Amino acid sequence: MLPSAQALSAFKATQKPFIASSVVEKKPFVAHSTIEVGSPRYFYTCAAGGVLACGLTHYLMTPVDLVKCRMQVNKSLYSGVFDGFKKIASAEGARGLYLGGAPTLLGYSLQGMGKYGFYEYFKHLYGGFVGEEAAAKYKTMLYLSASASAEFIADIMLCPMEALKIKMQTSTTPFATSFLGGIRKINAAEGLNGFYKGLTPLWLRQIPYTMVKFATFEKTVEAIYKHVLSKPKDQYTKTQQLGVTFAAGYFAGIFCAIVSHPADTLVSKLNNVAKAEGESTGAIAIRILKDLGFSGVWAGLTPRIFMIGTLTALQWFIYDSFKVQTGLPTTGAVAAPKKE
């Protein structure tokens, strides 16, 4: 005896499609943290996420950075990124590809702490100054001013390790046999100035870079949810939201690399040029730029686009993944308010 059509319809209506929960995530992610956005604990949490995001990714990209820095100092040294990898590995072994890794890990962990922690702090602070309505109307200006302020502080934290990293990576003879040995050598030769003589070019490189990085990322996330996807952010799963984070991060990274590259070249050269007696850092920078010419300041751009695009995407992905694990929302595109 066959079941009736009515019975089959009733049975079908009660069934859910079989999808393994471990394979497909269906539940939308809505922030549920006990950490209040805008509280000191929130800023500390964001700073911790920044440590992981910047320290780990920059260390991972050390081989690319090594080739890029050497090409900036001597553009005829390698024909490209992979040629650089091959020659370094052949001459120095696989370990040689991570030359400068220790100051990279420490320096960019400190920078990430300042960059992300202070970005969230200044965004909250400046938004409070101008009021909720003006902050919403002029969001891009808020992103730009908060990121510039954060990077100003973050670069002071980064600069000593950046100076050591560049000397280790670009010296024609081994600069030091150890991390501490390198610190002692710079201090003995130049004192505190040796660690901070590249600060102004670093600001010139990093502040525009970070302004583009944060503003472009935030606007790209907003555009993806508004024009590409069909629903507010809080109606998508954790995996989907992090996918948007990664895509927006890579897009932002490409622009970052182009905007900041001339200053990046200057920083690499500045830490390897002897300072004449009485010569100021500004005078050295002008001399270097004259020697390089227009084409010279763009040396190493291709490996840097690859490096910064990947780096920025991974940084935002790690940062937002850390926030999500604490129950905080991913960055950007605040969900539209519910209708009454």
Side-chain angles (χ1 to χ4, degrees):
M1 185 176 180
L2 297 174
S4 65
Q6 291 88 346
L8 283 171
S9 297
F11 175 80
K12 185 178 180 181
T14 61
Q15 300 308 298
K16 295 180 180 178
F18 176 75
I19 301 175
S21 60
S22 61
V23 176
V24 179
E25 180 188 8
K26 295 192 68 179
K27 187 178 178 182
F29 173 71
V30 180
H32 57 274
S33 179
T34 57
I35 301 171
E36 183 183 352
V37 174
S39 67
R41 190 179 170 203
Y42 173 73
F43 301 133
Y44 299 150
T45 302
C46 292
V51 169
L52 295 174
C54 292
L56 295 176
T57 51
H58 274 276
Y59 182 76
L60 178 68
M61 298 299 290
T62 297
V64 180
D65 189 38
L66 174 62
V67 172
K68 181 266 301 179
C69 285
R70 287 183 174 178
M71 287 177 70
Q72 287 173 327
V73 173
N74 182 0
K75 61 183 178 182
S76 63
L77 194 59
Y78 310 122
S79 61
V81 180
F82 294 105
D83 180 57
F85 290 164
K86 183 179 177 181
K87 287 180 177 177
I88 293 168
S90 176
E92 306 169 45
R95 189 176 178 181
L97 291 168
Y98 277 85
L99 180 66
T104 296
L105 180 61
L106 178 58
Y108 282 94
S109 293
L110 292 171
Q111 189 218 30
M113 180 194 304
K115 186 196 294 277
Y116 284 90
F118 280 112
Y119 173 68
E120 298 290 354
Y121 171 74
F122 284 119
K123 191 164 65 168
H124 177 76
L125 182 68
Y126 297 159
F129 284 161
V130 300
E132 188 176 344
E133 186 178 338
K137 186 177 180 180
Y138 302 106
K139 284 187 291 187
T140 303
M141 289 303 299
L142 184 64
Y143 303 148
L144 291 170
S145 57
S147 57
S149 301
E151 190 61 39
F152 181 87
I153 297 170
D155 288 344
I156 296 171
M157 302 164 76
L158 166 66
C159 197
M161 293 299 101
E162 182 76 352
L164 175 57
K165 174 190 80 75
I166 290 172
K167 284 187 177 294
M168 291 178 71
Q169 290 181 334
T170 58
S171 294
T172 52
T173 56
F175 179 71
T177 57
S178 68
F179 172 78
L180 290 177
I183 295 286
R184 294 190 193 102
K185 189 170 182 179
I186 293 175
N187 187 59
E190 303 176 75
L192 188 63
N193 182 64
F195 295 104
Y196 281 101
K197 70 179 183 181
L199 182 58
T200 299
L202 190 62
W203 277 331
L204 292 174
R205 180 189 83 184
Q206 288 297 130
I207 291 177
Y209 165 93
T210 302
M211 291 170 74
V212 172
K213 172 180 177 175
F214 281 85
T216 304
F217 174 81
E218 296 254 22
K219 297 298 287 185
T220 303
V221 169
E222 183 181 317
I224 289 173
Y225 283 111
K226 186 176 181 180
H227 301 295
V228 179
L229 302 177
S230 57
K231 297 178 290 187
K233 182 172 80 170
D234 63 0
Q235 293 183 30
Y236 288 95
T237 67
K238 185 188 302 182
T239 302
Q240 290 167 333
Q241 290 186 33
L242 290 173
V244 171
T245 291
F246 187 86
Y250 211 105
F251 186 76
I254 293 170
F255 284 92
C256 291
I258 296 169
V259 165
S260 62
H261 191 74
D264 183 66
T265 302
L266 180 59
V267 170
S268 293
K269 295 288 284 185
L270 190 64
N271 282 291
N272 280 279
V273 172
K275 184 178 181 181
E277 188 175 348
E279 189 177 27
S280 67
T281 300
I284 300 174
I286 292 170
R287 174 161 58 88
I288 290 170
L289 290 172
K290 284 181 178 178
D291 291 342
L292 286 171
F294 180 79
S295 61
V297 298
W298 296 103
L301 179 60
T302 300
R304 192 158 188 267
I305 286 176
F306 170 71
M307 171 186 161
I308 297 300
T310 306
L311 201 68
T312 306
L314 287 173
Q315 283 177 357
W316 279 114
F317 183 80
I318 292 170
Y319 177 66
D320 270 357
S321 295
F322 181 80
K323 287 176 69 178
V324 163
Q325 290 304 309
T326 65
L328 290 168
T330 54
T331 307
V334 177
K338 293 180 180 179
K339 295 179 180 179
E340 297 293 340

